[in-house]
Amino acid sequence: MTMRAGLVWISAALALTTGCASADSFPDTPVTSDLPLGYHARACPAAYKTIVTTRTVECGDMVVEETRGSGNGRRISFPVVIARAVAPDKKPDPLIYLHGGPGGDIVEAAPYIAKGDKTALDRDLILFDHRGTGQSTPSLDCGEAPLSDAGVTSAAGVEVLKACALHWRAKGVDTSQYHSAVIAQDIRDLRQALHITTYNLFGGSYGTRVAMAVMQHDPEGLRSVILSSTWPPEGNATAPLPGLVSREVRQVLAYCRADATCRQRFPDLEARFDARLKQWLDAPVTHNGQTYTADEVGAFLLDELYSDRGARRLPRTMDDLLKGDFAALDRFKKVQAGYTEGQFFTTLCREEFAFEDPAALEATDRNDPIALSVARDARRFFEVCPAFATGSAAAVENQPLTSDIPTLMLSADIDAGCPAELSDEAVKRLSHGRNYTFVNRMHTVQGSACAQKMMAQFLQTADPVVDTSCMTDDRPKFPFIYE
């Protein structure tokens, strides 16, 4: 459901060790913009010119009402990067990127995306951080709270996140206004300010949920949509997650058993890891003065699955843990998901968790230690939500989307967060949509030249029936990494 994102972290170590948090644990950053409503161009960082040498890059800030129609005068802003087309036959309809998370960001990486893009050279690329995250004002950061894609990895973390919610609410932030349906309105205001009449969307991971909100609420001018690792509105984020993480970890281990080299290096790895994690569920492990919990291990496994390198190295990483090498787990514990946590919760508490029941997690397989570890994390989502006071989303925010907008969907066969079967179901209601699942690929089909080729063809034609011949040779075997 989510995607890795860079952040500048504010230290909250005291809060994490004591389970308490005070107002000075969280960033004291502006919560409103002094600029008038509309788009305001500004100079890009000087480094952009050295990174992006083929496209002209422009920067700006879009200022919108925090709560549309309230008349309270509170204005917020989000940063925008526009990378101009380089092909001589420039198309008039740009491609707007929607990042994952929720609580991720994209502007920090925008020049690198613009430099590496090969799918839309004849179109302008527009990238922006969603309201409440990244370099937006406000950016609802909660410091180093232990938030992962699997859930909150400690009880102390729940208290930190509750305090963070109260911190932002005390500063006047309307926490009911940071979610997908409102971001769809931000996109409308941005394209109107930039005089864009026709456009295309690319959404990755939870960015697909935002794209589908646009398709649902404001489809005017939307020519085509690319969804990579789709999270549809009707998806259930918590109850299935423990089993999905376990399933995908075990799929990677099955690939390992089928690979002579991997099987020889890591014999009986699945059984050995299950036995050790069952012990871990009963008592945490202490090593060199550091404590490691099963809750952290479950979240860590999901994080590794999201990464192409992490999944390919997973047998080695799991074997390292069994041998007492916690270096990779230490790196995960320091940052975990890397999201702007407040925006993560203002989004998911309103449009996902409000429609789900924590009691459903009780159905987690009691004999599956990986699933049980993840369930501990996911259950804590529900403990945090009341503090964010997001209000209730309309029922449509949890219902399947029906649309005739041309839609290309790309799925990966190893994806616990946005499993391919969700796309298989969602595409049935998209009359001009097709879903293509890539084998031996991970979340958002990272690094696939074949996927990029299919996207480029789709953007030219707006026909989701694309040439798939390259998929056969895209990644015929799971390529393990042993170092």
Side-chain angles (χ1 to χ4, degrees):
M1 155 177 80
T2 48
M3 187 168 64
R4 308 284 66 76
L7 266 192
V8 176
W9 292 99
I10 307 297
S11 175
L14 179 61
L16 292 180
T17 55
T18 65
C20 301
S22 60
D24 58 5
S25 300
F26 309 115
D28 186 20
T29 54
V31 295
T32 58
S33 173
D34 294 329
L35 294 171
L37 296 175
Y39 182 76
H40 304 271
R42 58 175 169 80
C44 292
Y48 279 26
K49 290 185 178 180
T50 61
I51 298 169
V52 188
T53 58
T54 55
R55 292 177 181 264
T56 299
V57 180
E58 302 169 8
C59 298
D61 293 288
M62 184 68 197
V63 180
V64 296
E65 293 180 280
E66 181 182 53
T67 307
R68 290 179 173 86
S70 69
N72 64 12
R74 288 179 60 89
R75 299 185 300 276
I76 62 174
S77 67
F78 54 87
V80 180
V81 174
I82 304 172
R84 296 298 182 184
V86 295
D89 55 339
K90 175 182 174 180
K91 304 296 190 297
D93 45 289
L95 177 63
I96 300 178
Y97 274 74
L98 302 174
H99 63 71
D105 61 69
I106 198 169
V107 163
E108 184 176 354
Y112 300 98
I113 294 172
K115 177 181 179 180
D117 178 78
K118 299 296 188 294
T119 63
L121 294 173
D122 56 354
R123 287 178 166 82
D124 293 344
L125 306 180
I126 300 176
L127 309 96
F128 69 99
D129 287 346
H130 300 168
R131 61 164 55 201
T133 191
Q135 298 176 26
S136 297
T137 299
S139 184
L140 306 179
D141 189 15
C142 295
E144 293 182 344
L147 172 66
S148 73
D149 285 315
V152 185
T153 56
S154 70
V158 171
E159 300 308 313
V160 172
L161 289 161
K162 287 180 179 178
C164 181
L166 298 178
H167 164 76
W168 290 115
R169 290 170 59 194
K171 290 173 75 72
V173 173
D174 184 348
T175 50
S176 73
Q177 295 298 308
Y178 295 82
H179 55 85
S180 297
V182 178
I183 295 169
Q185 295 175 320
D186 291 342
I187 295 169
R188 178 201 61 204
D189 288 355
L190 175 62
R191 62 183 178 80
Q192 289 177 350
L194 297 177
H195 308 291
I196 295 169
T197 57
T198 306
Y199 68 107
N200 310 275
L201 285 178
F202 170 86
S205 191
Y206 208 80
T208 64
R209 175 66 182 83
V210 178
M212 295 177 96
V214 176
M215 296 167 75
Q216 175 69 54
H217 298 296
D218 188 37
E220 182 181 356
L222 183 52
R223 173 181 175 267
S224 73
V225 180
I226 300 172
L227 305 176
S228 182
S229 288
T230 302
W231 183 256
E234 71 274 18
N236 189 328
T238 52
L241 182 60
L244 286 168
V245 175
S246 178
R247 183 187 77 179
E248 304 298 62
V249 168
R250 297 180 195 283
Q251 181 61 56
V252 173
L253 297 182
Y255 287 152
C256 181
R257 289 193 298 272
D259 182 285
T261 302
C262 191
R263 182 175 65 248
Q264 183 177 15
R265 283 175 174 256
F266 311 113
D268 303 317
L269 178 58
E270 184 173 1
R272 290 188 291 119
F273 193 84
D274 277 346
R276 186 67 185 93
L277 191 55
K278 285 178 181 178
Q279 297 172 343
W280 223 325
L281 283 162
D282 293 331
V285 173
T286 300
H287 179 75
N288 290 339
Q290 296 293 319
T291 299
Y292 305 92
T293 67
D295 312 43
E296 293 166 339
V297 173
F300 170 64
L301 291 174
L302 175 56
D303 193 75
E304 293 297 282
L305 287 171
Y306 270 136
S307 160
D308 186 82
R309 175 177 172 80
R312 293 166 59 195
R313 196 184 185 277
L314 189 60
R316 167 66 187 271
T317 301
M318 295 172 71
D319 190 63
D320 285 347
L321 287 175
L322 293 176
K323 293 176 179 176
D325 181 349
F326 298 102
L329 184 56
D330 282 330
R331 289 191 294 271
F332 166 75
K333 286 181 62 173
K334 186 176 182 180
V335 176
Q336 299 208 20
Y339 295 138
T340 303
E341 299 89 346
Q343 206 261 9
F344 178 95
F345 280 101
T346 59
T347 301
L348 293 185
C349 291
R350 182 181 178 91
E351 65 192 34
E352 301 290 348
F353 305 148
F355 297 97
E356 301 176 21
D357 184 353
L361 286 161
E362 298 303 320
T364 302
D365 185 351
R366 311 303 297 179
N367 296 313
D368 187 336
I370 295 176
L372 288 174
S373 299
V374 174
R376 288 183 176 184
D377 301 321
R379 193 173 288 110
R380 296 190 186 103
F381 280 142
F382 297 95
E383 299 175 29
V384 173
C385 281
F388 276 93
T390 61
S392 300
V396 70
E397 304 304 337
N398 191 236
Q399 294 172 354
L401 169 71
T402 298
S403 176
D404 61 1
I405 296 171
T407 306
L408 176 70
M409 303 174 74
L410 306 174
S411 302
D413 75 329
I414 302 292
D415 194 341
C418 301
E421 57 261 37
L422 287 181
S423 296
D424 291 336
E425 286 300 312
V427 78
K428 294 176 181 178
R429 292 173 291 274
L430 304 179
S431 59
H432 291 85
R434 293 290 188 278
N435 178 48
Y436 301 96
T437 298
F438 286 74
V439 298
N440 301 320
R441 288 286 181 185
M442 276 58 78
H443 192 63
T444 65
V445 198
Q446 304 157 42
S448 170
C450 178
Q452 294 174 14
K453 181 179 179 181
M454 292 163 62
M455 290 166 53
Q457 180 184 339
F458 173 68
L459 284 172
Q460 292 300 319
T461 64
D463 183 350
V465 181
V466 295
D467 181 2
T468 60
S469 58
C470 61
M471 292 182 69
T472 303
D473 298 320
D474 176 67
R475 187 175 271 181
K477 183 179 180 181
F478 197 86
F480 288 102
I481 297 173
Y482 299 114
E483 302 304 330

